Amino acid sequence: MLMIWLANNWRSVLWFLLVAAVVTFGTAASHYHARMLQAQEKVSAALQARKKAESIASNLITAVTLFNDIGKAAHDARYQNETESERRIVYIRQSIQRDACAAHPVPADVADSLRKHNERIRSASGSAHSGRTAG
């Protein structure tokens, strides 16, 4: 009996199976399309996060390089000042070595006054502008 019914309605059954297959494949395609869109959004968000992290890292490297350059320049300037000071000391010693007055010690009150003056100058150099003169 089923066979007779199928023989008489084969076109309807085939049409139903075709519609069911199209609906099934359409549902599956829609599902996988939605998953693909979600994956694309995740990839896009990951790329943006990567670009942001690279930008931050680049800025950090630039800042560290700048600090290193500043530190090196300060170190070089300090070394140059020390070298120049040593040269001046040698020059002064050579210049006054034959002078009879140079053999006499500097009075203690004069030496103390010079030390205090030196300390004032050094403490004033801690800020860019102290509002006072060095003298």
Side-chain angles (χ1 to χ4, degrees):
M1 178 117 113
L2 180 63
M3 292 301 263
I4 295 172
W5 184 82
L6 281 176
N8 291 337
N9 297 312
W10 69 272
R11 287 185 178 144
S12 298
V13 170
L14 186 60
W15 184 254
F16 175 76
L17 288 175
L18 182 63
V19 169
V22 167
V23 168
T24 302
F25 288 130
T27 303
S30 174
H31 170 73
Y32 286 112
H33 183 261
R35 288 186 66 187
M36 181 202 58
L37 290 177
Q38 288 175 347
Q40 284 178 341
E41 288 174 4
K42 287 180 182 179
V43 167
S44 177
L47 287 175
Q48 287 177 350
R50 177 182 166 196
K51 285 180 183 178
K52 184 177 179 181
E54 286 174 348
S55 175
I56 290 170
S58 175
N59 289 342
L60 182 61
I61 290 170
T62 302
V64 168
T65 302
L66 180 62
F67 283 127
N68 285 342
D69 290 346
I70 291 170
K72 184 179 182 325
H75 174 76
D76 292 346
R78 190 177 318 118
Y79 178 76
Q80 185 178 3
N81 285 340
E82 289 173 2
T83 304
E84 182 63 28
S85 294
E86 289 173 10
R87 268 192 248 133
R88 286 182 184 192
I89 289 170
V90 169
Y91 173 75
I92 290 169
R93 284 184 180 159
Q94 288 173 350
S95 296
I96 65 170
Q97 120 184 38
R98 293 180 208 98
D99 190 345
C101 291
H104 298 286
V106 176
D109 60 336
V110 174
D112 289 340
S113 172
L114 286 173
R115 283 190 195 99
K116 287 179 185 175
H117 180 68
N118 183 30
E119 289 173 11
R120 262 189 286 139
I121 291 172
R122 286 186 182 261
S123 66
S125 69
S127 63
H129 179 64
S130 66
R132 299 182 298 160
T133 60

